Amino acid sequence: LSEGDIIYYRSVDSPVPVVHRVIKIKKDKTIIVKGDDNDDPDDALEPEQVRGKVVLVIPKAGWASVYIRKIFT
């Protein structure tokens, strides 16, 4: 990982997955992340919390599932 990468991780206090940008990797290997729309960074992550790195973004791809749900509900 490097600064600027977007990662997928699990927070210690929540089972919900989070996708945020790496803003700093400290010398002790902890990772500081922040959501692009957030003012403040999150708590430091341990490397073991990282589940993956975002390598492809398809804009508006999620709209298909929203449309299908509206049809069938």
Side-chain angles (χ1 to χ4, degrees):
L1 293 177
S2 59
E3 293 177 11
D5 286 346
I6 300 171
I7 61 169
Y8 159 78
Y9 68 93
R10 296 258 182 192
S11 176
V12 172
D13 56 346
S14 173
V16 178
V18 180
V19 177
H20 280 169
R21 188 176 308 274
V22 175
I23 60 170
K24 185 170 186 165
I25 300 175
K26 294 183 168 186
K27 291 184 186 212
D28 65 357
K29 305 291 186 205
T30 56
I31 302 164
I32 307 298
V33 296
K34 183 175 90 62
D36 289 346
D37 285 339
N38 296 345
D39 292 330
D40 299 317
D42 294 350
D43 292 334
L45 302 174
E46 295 297 325
E48 299 81 31
Q49 291 176 261
V50 177
R51 299 290 184 232
K53 176 179 158 181
V54 174
V55 295
L56 176 67
V57 176
I58 302 173
K60 301 184 184 189
W63 284 106
S65 67
V66 171
Y67 180 71
I68 292 169
R69 285 183 208 165
K70 283 186 178 185
I71 291 173
F72 294 105
T73 57

